[in-house]
Amino acid sequence: MAATASLELGSDLTPYGGVRPDEAWRAEVRRLAAEQNAVLLAHNYQLPEIQDIADHTGDSLGLSRIAATSDADTIIFCGVHFMAETAKILSPDKRVLIPDARAGCSLADSIDAEQLRAWKAEHPDAVVVSYVNTTAEVKAETDVCCTSSNAVDVVRSIPSDREVLFLPDQFLGAHVKRVTGRENLHIWAGECHVHAGINGAELAERAAANPGADLFVHPECGCATSALYLAGEGIVPSERVKILSTGDMVTQARATKSRSVLVATEVGMLHQLRKAAPEIDFQAVNDRASCRYMKMITPAALLRALREGRDEVHVDPVIAERARGAVQRMIEIGQPGGGE
Ligand code: 13P
Ligand code: SF4
């Protein structure tokens, strides 16, 4: 066994939860994952060491698609709880682990199933579109889920005369409404505390100080409207302003001709961007925009998950059954050959 003193959980108080993410840690994680036929999935906001050890790193849509088709026996989801729950809904017969079940999401907490049922009662004919950042119970009350990378396609797939209830993110909702021009789209007033905190004044200031830079902005950001205002007023050339999911940011990083990019999203994103395009100078618009839930998945927690089989994610089978259709529609829409 490759374990060394640095792999004794809690024996070494580094910022990584008590384990140094060194060669011994990497070897032990890979050995245990192979032994259990486990696939390691990591969201783009994870610590760099977690992103680098994963089999797949990506955005919430890409990781859901992998979870749905993987032939592994166990999925270890290095992300937040709703992401692991979505994997369990899609693959109910697999064991799904999250290295720390306390890794929640302030956006998912901004609406519960009872609140959604009350909202639906006010609009009985509306189609319910829920962002994937929601609990399984909310998904069970939903017609179709979406992520930031396919929200526009999902809403466009709904007949234009049908009312839409879009939840829970108000900034993503405003973005979808702007792009689709849809007046009958009602938006829940939820937000993510990390993205809401990246504000327009900060973005304008950073853009003025970096006149040649592209702006990559996640649609959950409080500054998404300001980014489009800067483009509309010609303050930043419109072709330099891009509203993108985390996965689309990586694709765009490979395509851009610009030498510097200002990034408005959670700071974990910088790691994948710098790997994708090392010649580009990527800077965070707000370098305090760190999601404490994402950072609960430490190297020590990942090792514990593999050694002790926890924290296992369970979704009530009745809820999972009711949520599955909405999640499956989400992974089909925007996929080549899978809908709009
Ligand atoms: P993506 O869907 O762009 O990966 O974003 C998920 C998320 O939690 C954003 O905060
Ligand atoms: Fe949730 Fe925001 Fe963290 Fe994403 S960054 S997981 S939306 S709290």
Side-chain angles (χ1 to χ4, degrees), residues 43 45 59-60 82-83 131 133 147-148 195 218 220 245-246:
H43 187 264
Y45 297 161
D59 67 6
S60 43
F82 75 80
M83 296 180 178
Y131 194 27
N133 298 44
T147 73
S148 54
H195 285 87
H218 195 279
E220 279 176 29
S245 73
T246 63

Side-chain angles (χ1 to χ4, degrees), residues 45 80 105-107 133 192-195 220 266 291 293-294:
Y45 297 161
V80 291
C105 169
S106 60
L107 180 54
N133 298 44
C192 150
H193 70 289
V194 178
H195 285 87
E220 279 176 29
E266 208 272 354
C291 174
Y293 303 115
M294 286 282 179

